[in-house]
């Protein structure tokens, strides 16, 4: 399906957010996620179903402040 | 000012809070943090690539310093964006402390004070602990 991942349109074969992270090679990286602007906790990724066109944000710690 | 600083019952030995942006290298950041004696470093979230995973090394460096972190919502232009960013930060950093920012004017980064109050209400009701700061 077509997903918008961190602002870029990608074709990703994934039924859930957890599958999408695996397909996109995040592995065990320490990241946080949101779908369509709403936070999705790590524990809910495996059951968070995705739909065509969903906007996914995947973020990690970085310099700032 | 002398004496310890206390945030929400936690005593901080240094009154210096150190930002982590714009250092020329991770090593310089680590050296500066150690030399400063700061016990709180501000940190943020950025989009992470599954291939590059740039944030992972940064997080390892911060953990190695043994300091507390103060996540921010820099770059957020709406209440919803700030709330979602705060929730993501709490999970990643394991801290409910928050340096809350909602930008009202992109060029000057002047805050949206009404948005700040609205976001602060939502987040404090959700258990976040805002740290009142004004920095420039």
């Amino acid at each position: 399906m077509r997903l918008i991942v961190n602002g870029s349109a990608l074709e990703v074969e994934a039924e859930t957010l957890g599958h999408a992270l695996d397909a996109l090679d995040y592995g065990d990286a320490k990241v946080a996620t949101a779908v369509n602007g709403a936070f999705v906790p790590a524990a809910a990724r495996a059951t968070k179903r995705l739909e065509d066109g969903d906007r996914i944000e995947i973020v990690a710690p970085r310099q700032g402040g | 000012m002398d004496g310890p600083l206390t945030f929400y019952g936690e005593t901080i030995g240094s009154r210096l809070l150190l930002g982590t942006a714009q250092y020329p290298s991770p090593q310089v950041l680590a050296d500066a943090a150690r030399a400063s004696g700061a016990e709180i470093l501000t940190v943020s979230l950025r989009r992470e690539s599954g291939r590059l995973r740039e944030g992972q090394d940064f997080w390892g460096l911060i953990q190695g310093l043994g300091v507390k972190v103060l996540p921010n919502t820099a770059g957020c232009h709406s209440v919803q964006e700030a709330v979602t960013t705060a929730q993501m930060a709490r999970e990643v950093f394991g801290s409910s402390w928050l340096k809350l920012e909602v930008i009202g004017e992109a060029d000057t980064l002047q805050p949206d004070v009404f948005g700040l109050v609205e976001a602060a209400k939502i987040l404090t009701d959700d258990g976040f602990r805002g740290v009142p700061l004004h920095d420039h």
Side-chain angles (χ1 to χ4, degrees), chain B residues 36-47:
Chain B
S36 73
E39 296 177 14
I40 299 175
L41 300 188
T42 59
V43 292
S44 69
L45 294 173
R46 293 286 185 278
R47 286 172 167 172

Side-chain angles (χ1 to χ4, degrees), chain A residues 6-7 24-34 37-42 45 57-65, chain B residues 19-21 29 42-50 53-56 58-59 72 80 84 87-88 91-93 99 135:
Chain A
N6 285 346
L24 294 167
D25 294 328
Y26 282 90
D28 60 355
K30 192 168 190 64
V31 295
T33 52
F39 171 58
V40 179
R45 289 175 195 157
E57 290 292 324
I58 305 167
V59 299
R62 201 64 61 83
Q63 298 90 330
Chain B
T20 56
L29 165 59
T42 59
V43 292
S44 69
L45 294 173
R46 293 286 185 278
R47 286 172 167 172
E48 181 84 331
S49 157
R53 299 192 191 184
E54 295 169 292
Q56 309 306 303
F58 171 73
W59 182 230
N72 68 34
Q80 179 59 53
T84 298
Q87 292 168 328
M88 292 195 288
E91 181 176 84
V92 164
F93 293 113
K99 180 185 170 195
D135 65 349

Side-chain angles (χ1 to χ4, degrees), chain B residues 104-126:
Chain B
E105 213 288 317
D107 287 339
T108 62
L109 301 183
Q110 183 177 345
D112 171 357
V113 292
F114 298 102
L116 271 175
V117 171
E118 185 181 345
K121 175 75 168 63
I122 294 168
L123 291 166
T124 52
D125 287 349
D126 190 24

Side-chain angles (χ1 to χ4, degrees), chain B residues 54-78:
Chain B
E54 295 169 292
Q56 309 306 303
D57 287 344
F58 171 73
W59 182 230
L61 182 151
I62 295 298
Q63 287 182 299
L65 292 171
V67 295
K68 296 179 184 299
V69 294
L70 177 58
N72 68 34
T73 61
C76 292
H77 290 258
S78 72

